[in-house]
Amino acid sequence: MTKRKGGIKIILIIITVFVVALAAIYINHRIRLKKESAFLSPLGQIVEVDGHHMSVYVEGEGETTLVFMSGGGTSSPILDFKSLYSLLSGRYRIVVVEKFGYGFSDIVDKDRDIDSILEDTRTALTLAEIDAPYVLCPHSMSGLEALYWAQKYPDEVSAVIGLDMAVPQYYDSMKINIPLMQAASWAAEFGVTRLIPGISDSDAVKHGTLSDEEKEIYKAVFYSRTATVTMINEAKAVKENAQKVNDMGVPQIPMLLFISDGSGGTGFDKETWRKIPIEYISQVNDGEYVELDCPHYVHDYEYEVISEKMVAFLTFPDKRSKKK
C-alpha cells in the first residue's frame, strides 16, 4: 500500500510540474505577444469581406498587375514574397492578397472549399479597386486557386506564373496530416513553439532580402498566425478542391512554372516532384517551365533569376517555346 501511495504521489508531482511549466510558458507567450503587437500594424490596406477583415498589399505601378498568392501555412505572405516582387514593382503593379488566417487578415473558422477561397480573393481585389485582368503568381497550394480562377473566369486571368505551385495531381498521393497540424496549432496557441530554436526563421528571413525590421515583423506575425484554424480547414478541404480543379481540365492560357528540387517540406522526392508539373505543363499550348536547384520556397532563394525570367516571359511572348 505504501508503494502504491508513493507511486501516486510521484504521478501527482509530475502532473503538477507539467501544469505549472505549461502555465509559465503560456504566460510568457501572452507577454511576448503583447510586446510583439507593436510590429503588427498592417502593411497594406484592410478591406471587409463577408464581415471580416482581409489584408491587401499594393506596390508599384504598371499596366500589368501581378497577384501573388501564398502557399498553405505561410504566416506572412506580404513579406514572404517581398524579395521577389521588390525586383518587379518598378515595372508592374504588385498585389498580395492575404487570405483569411494569414498575415494581417482575420482568423475565421469557415469552410475553405475552392469556390469560397476564390470568391474571397476576388472580392478583396474589387474592394481594393484592383481591376482584372491579372497575372496570377501562386506558390504551392494556391496553385489550385489560380488554376480554378483561370478555368472559371478566363477573362480575368491573362497568365499564370507558378512559383513551385501545386497542380491537382500532387494530391493523388499526398498525405495530409490533420492531427499533426492540430497539435501544431495547440503548441502555437500555448506558446510551446517559442521553445523551438529558430522556428520563426522562415526561408524569407534566412535567405531573402528583408530588412532587420521586416524580419522582426515576420517573426511577430509568425507567432500569431501559425497553424490557424483557417489554415487547418484549408488542409481538410484540399483533396476535394484538387479533384474539382482536375475535373475542369487544364486551362489554355500562357503559363510559366518554376519548379524546385522538392526539398523544404513537400514530402516528395526530387524526381516525382518535378515529373508531376512537367507532365501538367505539357498539356498547355503556351506553357514553359524552369527547373531550379533550390527548396520549395523558390522565391526566397532564386528571386533574381525568377524575376528576370518573369519579365522575359511577359515582355516577349513571341519568343516563348511553343508546343506543337
Side-chain angles (χ1 to χ4, degrees):
M1 195 70 178
T2 303
K3 288 184 178 181
R4 184 179 179 184
K5 288 183 178 179
I8 294 174
K9 183 177 181 180
I10 291 173
I11 292 172
L12 291 174
I13 290 173
I14 292 173
I15 293 174
T16 301
V17 170
F18 175 79
V19 171
V20 171
L22 186 60
I25 292 170
Y26 179 73
I27 292 170
N28 173 67
H29 179 52
R30 303 312 299 181
I31 293 172
R32 297 281 291 276
L33 285 176
K34 187 174 182 179
K35 290 181 179 179
E36 290 162 357
S37 65
F39 291 101
L40 295 180
S41 297
L43 297 174
Q45 60 180 300
I46 300 296
V47 297
E48 186 171 312
V49 177
D50 194 25
H52 303 283
H53 293 153
M54 281 188 74
S55 164
V56 181
Y57 178 81
V58 183
E59 175 179 310
E61 297 180 358
E63 295 182 1
T64 301
T65 299
L66 309 184
V67 178
F68 286 82
M69 307 161 69
S70 69
T74 301
S75 300
S76 180
I78 292 173
L79 294 177
D80 181 59
F81 288 119
K82 187 174 180 62
S83 297
L84 175 56
Y85 67 64
S86 62
L87 299 176
L88 298 164
S89 58
R91 183 185 294 260
Y92 308 106
R93 179 167 58 170
I94 304 300
V95 181
V96 183
V97 179
E98 295 189 309
K99 295 180 291 184
F100 287 130
Y102 294 74
F104 296 96
S105 295
D106 287 349
I107 298 172
V108 297
D109 189 356
K110 59 186 293 189
D111 290 339
R112 293 285 76 191
D113 60 275
I114 193 73
D115 285 281
S116 296
I117 295 173
L118 174 56
E119 295 312 318
D120 286 344
T121 301
R122 294 179 68 244
T123 301
L125 288 170
T126 299
L127 293 172
E129 299 183 347
I130 308 296
D131 298 326
Y134 314 112
V135 174
L136 304 181
C137 305
H139 172 242
S140 197
M141 187 169 69
S142 64
L144 296 177
E145 181 185 352
L147 294 173
Y148 190 59
W149 199 337
Q151 293 163 340
K152 193 172 182 180
Y153 303 104
D155 292 342
E156 295 183 5
V157 182
S158 57
V160 171
I161 298 178
L163 303 170
D164 214 27
M165 78 176 198
V167 297
Q169 290 71 25
Y170 276 129
Y171 296 95
D172 291 342
S173 58
M174 185 179 292
K175 295 180 180 179
I176 310 296
N177 194 331
I178 299 300
L180 181 61
M181 291 187 67
Q182 292 172 330
S185 180
W186 178 89
E189 178 66 23
F190 279 86
V192 176
T193 50
R194 291 185 186 273
L195 304 179
I196 305 174
I199 191 173
S200 63
D201 292 340
S202 66
D203 288 348
V205 170
K206 292 187 292 186
H207 302 286
T209 60
L210 299 181
S211 67
D212 289 341
E213 181 180 2
E214 288 167 340
K215 290 178 182 179
E216 291 303 315
I217 295 172
Y218 197 113
K219 293 176 182 180
V221 173
F222 172 84
Y223 286 115
S224 65
R225 293 293 186 275
T226 297
T228 64
V229 64
T230 325
M231 295 175 182
I232 293 173
N233 288 345
E234 279 183 348
K236 289 179 179 177
V238 70
K239 283 184 176 286
E240 185 175 338
N241 288 341
Q243 186 60 55
K244 187 167 187 176
V245 175
N246 187 60
D247 290 344
M248 292 185 70
V250 179
Q252 293 302 323
I253 59 170
M255 198 176 299
L256 171 62
L257 301 186
F258 292 97
I259 305 172
S260 78
D261 61 15
S263 63
T266 67
F268 288 79
D269 61 80
K270 180 177 178 179
E271 182 181 358
T272 304
W273 182 256
R274 288 186 168 175
K275 179 183 178 182
I276 292 173
I278 290 173
E279 289 180 348
Y280 188 90
I281 198 73
S282 70
Q283 303 172 73
V284 179
N285 293 329
D286 189 1
E288 297 181 8
Y289 67 90
V290 177
E291 296 177 275
L292 300 171
D293 291 320
C294 68
H296 184 43
Y297 278 73
V298 292
H299 47 280
D300 292 323
Y301 291 85
E302 296 291 351
Y303 38 85
E304 292 183 350
V305 171
I306 293 172
S307 65
E308 291 172 1
K309 292 189 179 296
M310 285 178 67
V311 170
F313 182 78
L314 295 171
T315 307
F316 307 108
D318 293 339
K319 294 184 179 181
R320 295 176 191 159
S321 56
K322 304 296 182 179
K323 294 181 176 63
K324 297 180 180 181

